[in-house]
């Protein structure tokens, strides 16, 4: 039964055996407070499920006096009933991203409902193959998907354009800036290799200064620790680095434009200036942005991003660390489907 504090409570019931006088079959009567062949009551089962929302399986087992395996079985059965069929009928906005789970499990692909935050699909691997089963479910549910937010992974983009021709593809702002930051880091690394001793001293440690937003740079009375001064010295050392940095800031502020036509004009100017800069990373970026331009501007019709997907990714990482890994993959995936209902807070 439900324990009293940490004291385990047991209910002793004498169950009669009933014999049918017609056929001779022997049966036991139905017990309204427990399932057949279960050694715990419905009330204890509900209590365990409630505790599992806020505590680890080990802690729930300690509080109830049940074994760890029994607690897991109760929780897994409840999650299985709840997420056996996930309705897609009312879904309008999707977010797609992959997540690395480690050397053993490798990658999984997650599809999230951007309005509710619920994970709708977990696919093995990454790319188009991981989404094959999901598109069939979308067609059967007759869901009307208005827009899909993804990163710049070509597999996801190709799959969405092929399977959902009526939906708008929206490239995520965060991943756009991250993509260009990687190019800026590569340029700084190349310049560091070619610099003399004095140039290397200035460029050393400037990587994070280049990636930081200017408003987040910290001032300091000591000039050697003043981030704004150190960044200025690095930019004065090399004109290509300075040009790439200011182009990065323009790209970061692209979506501050009030309307889509203004954003399109700014993007065209950015591409034109990058094409005439003569800097390799800007030339490569201009080619990509010319292809991605309509998908970036779709944000003005559907202002969505993969932010809720990233939140779920962090929760899944925390879920793994708290459990030190999962041997039962099915149970792990059920926990992932339930992750949008979990709130984690740091204590201590």
């Amino acid at each position: 039964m439900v324990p009293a504090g940490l004291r385990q409570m047991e209910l002793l019931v004498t169950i009669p055996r009933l014999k049918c006088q017609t056929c001779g079959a022997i049966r036991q009567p139905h017990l309204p407070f427990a399932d057949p062949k279960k050694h715990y009551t419905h009330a204890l089962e509900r209590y365990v499920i409630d505790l599992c929302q806020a505590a680890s399986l080990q802690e729930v087992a300690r509080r109830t006096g049940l074994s760890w395996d029994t607690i897991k079985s109760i929780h897994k059965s409840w999650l299985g009933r709840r997420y056996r069929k996930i309705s897609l009928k009312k879904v309008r906005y999707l977010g797609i991203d992959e997540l690395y789970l480690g050397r053993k499990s490798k990658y999984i692909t997650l599809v999230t409902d951007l309005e509710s935050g619920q994970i709708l699909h977990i696919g093995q691997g990454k790319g188009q193959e991981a989404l094959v089963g999901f598109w069939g479910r979308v067609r059967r549910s007759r869901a009307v998907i208005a827009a899909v937010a993804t990163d710049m992974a070509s597999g996801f983009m190709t799959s969405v354009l092929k399977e959902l021709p009526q939906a708008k593809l929206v490239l995520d702002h965060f991943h756009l800036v991250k993509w260009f930051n990687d190019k800026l880091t590569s340029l700084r690394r190349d310049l560091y290799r070619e610099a003399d001793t004095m140039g290397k001293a200035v460029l050393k440690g400037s990587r994070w200064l280049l990636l930081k937003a200017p408003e987040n740079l910290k001032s300091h009375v000591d000039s050697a620790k003043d981030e704004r001064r150190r960044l200025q010295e690095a930019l004065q050392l090399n004109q290509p680095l300075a040009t790439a940095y200011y182009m990065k800031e323009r790209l970061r502020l692209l979506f501050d434009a009030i309307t889509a036509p203004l954003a399109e004009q700014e993007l065209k100017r950015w591409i034109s200036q990058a094409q005439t800069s003569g800097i390799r990373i800007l030339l490569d970026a201009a080619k990509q942005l010319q292809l991605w331009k309509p998908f970036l501007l779709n944000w003005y019709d559907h202002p969505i991003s993969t932010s809720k997907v990233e939140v779920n990714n962090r929760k899944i990482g925390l879920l793994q660390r708290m459990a030190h890994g999962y041997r039962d993959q099915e149970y792990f995936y059920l926990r992932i489907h339930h992750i949008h209902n979990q709130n984690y807070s740091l204590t201590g």
Side-chain angles (χ1 to χ4, degrees):
M1 297 177 61
V2 176
L6 295 178
R7 184 183 294 275
Q8 186 175 356
M9 305 294 289
E10 294 187 359
L11 177 65
L12 301 180
V13 181
T14 300
I15 304 176
R17 302 176 69 194
L18 306 178
K19 181 177 181 181
C20 178
Q21 295 181 352
T22 304
C23 65
I26 298 177
R27 297 287 187 268
Q28 293 180 352
H30 172 70
L31 300 179
F33 53 84
D35 287 333
K37 299 182 181 180
K38 296 289 180 64
H39 64 285
Y40 48 82
T41 62
H42 292 314
L44 180 55
E45 184 176 7
R46 290 190 297 267
Y47 180 63
V48 166
I49 292 170
D50 288 340
L51 283 180
C52 285
Q53 309 309 306
S56 65
L57 300 186
Q58 186 174 0
E59 177 62 19
V60 176
R62 187 184 73 85
R63 287 183 174 273
T64 59
L66 298 173
S67 69
W68 184 92
D69 292 312
T70 300
I71 299 297
K72 176 200 162 188
S73 177
I74 292 174
H75 195 217
K76 181 178 178 180
S77 297
W78 178 77
L79 291 174
R81 293 192 299 270
R82 182 164 182 174
Y83 296 104
R84 182 178 296 111
K85 292 183 180 180
I86 301 175
S87 176
L88 304 178
K89 190 173 183 179
K90 296 182 180 179
V91 176
R92 295 178 62 245
Y93 294 108
L94 298 175
I96 304 176
D97 198 8
E98 75 273 358
L99 177 65
Y100 183 69
L101 295 179
R103 289 180 295 177
K104 184 178 180 180
S105 301
K106 302 297 183 182
Y107 284 93
I108 59 172
T109 295
L110 304 173
V111 181
T112 303
D113 180 354
L114 294 181
E115 292 182 311
S116 67
Q118 181 177 0
I119 293 176
L120 306 172
H121 172 75
I122 304 172
Q124 288 285 349
K126 58 180 181 177
Q128 299 184 56
E129 296 78 11
L131 294 169
V132 172
F134 178 71
W135 300 131
R137 289 174 54 200
V138 172
R139 286 190 291 270
R140 289 191 297 272
S141 68
R142 299 183 181 180
V144 181
I145 306 299
V148 182
T150 73
D151 58 13
M152 284 67 185
S154 59
F156 293 155
M157 295 173 63
T158 301
S159 184
V160 171
L161 294 173
K162 177 183 176 182
E163 300 293 342
L164 296 176
Q166 80 285 356
K168 294 291 185 69
L169 175 62
V170 180
L171 294 183
D172 183 66
H173 299 178
F174 169 79
H175 285 94
L176 175 66
V177 176
K178 180 179 180 296
W179 164 78
F180 193 80
N181 279 342
D182 291 340
K183 291 184 173 296
L184 187 61
T185 299
S186 176
L187 175 62
R188 189 205 68 86
R189 190 181 300 115
D190 293 341
L191 294 175
Y192 183 83
R193 293 195 192 101
E194 298 171 2
D196 55 19
T197 304
M198 181 178 178
K200 288 183 176 181
V202 174
L203 288 174
K204 186 176 181 180
S206 63
R207 176 187 175 187
W208 301 115
L209 301 180
L210 292 167
L211 303 185
K212 262 189 176 183
E215 60 270 19
N216 295 331
L217 293 173
K218 297 178 181 178
S219 301
H220 200 280
V221 291
D222 185 355
S223 60
K225 297 180 180 180
D226 190 307
E227 293 184 345
R228 295 180 183 276
R229 182 178 181 126
R230 289 178 56 206
L231 176 62
Q232 196 61 34
E233 290 176 351
L235 296 180
Q236 289 175 350
L237 181 68
N238 192 283
Q239 184 59 41
L241 183 63
T243 302
Y245 173 78
Y246 291 123
M247 292 291 279
K248 183 264 291 188
E249 285 304 305
R250 284 180 59 187
L251 192 62
R252 186 175 69 88
L253 300 175
L254 173 66
F255 293 96
D256 285 352
I258 299 174
T259 63
L262 292 176
E264 185 175 8
Q265 291 178 11
E266 171 60 19
L267 189 55
K268 285 181 178 179
R269 287 194 290 267
W270 195 100
I271 293 173
S272 177
Q273 186 172 343
Q275 289 172 336
T276 58
S277 66
I279 302 173
R280 180 179 55 81
I281 69 162
L282 293 180
L283 294 173
D284 294 342
K287 292 179 182 178
Q288 287 293 341
L289 289 178
Q290 191 67 45
L291 297 174
W292 294 341
K293 183 168 64 174
F295 310 129
L296 293 171
L297 297 176
N298 280 341
W299 181 83
Y300 283 89
D301 295 325
H302 303 280
I304 59 175
S305 70
T306 60
S307 57
K308 287 190 177 180
V309 185
E310 297 297 335
V311 170
N312 283 337
N313 287 351
R314 290 181 178 274
K315 285 185 176 181
I316 293 169
L318 182 56
L319 186 68
Q320 269 197 306
R321 290 193 294 274
M322 288 173 63
H324 300 285
Y326 283 82
R327 295 190 299 267
D328 188 340
Q329 188 181 65
E330 182 184 359
Y331 178 55
F332 180 45
Y333 282 5
L334 287 171
R335 294 291 298 263
I336 290 177
H337 278 300
H338 191 62
I339 202 77
H340 67 288
N341 286 321
Q342 299 289 330
N343 292 316
Y344 295 100
S345 60
L346 298 177
T347 59

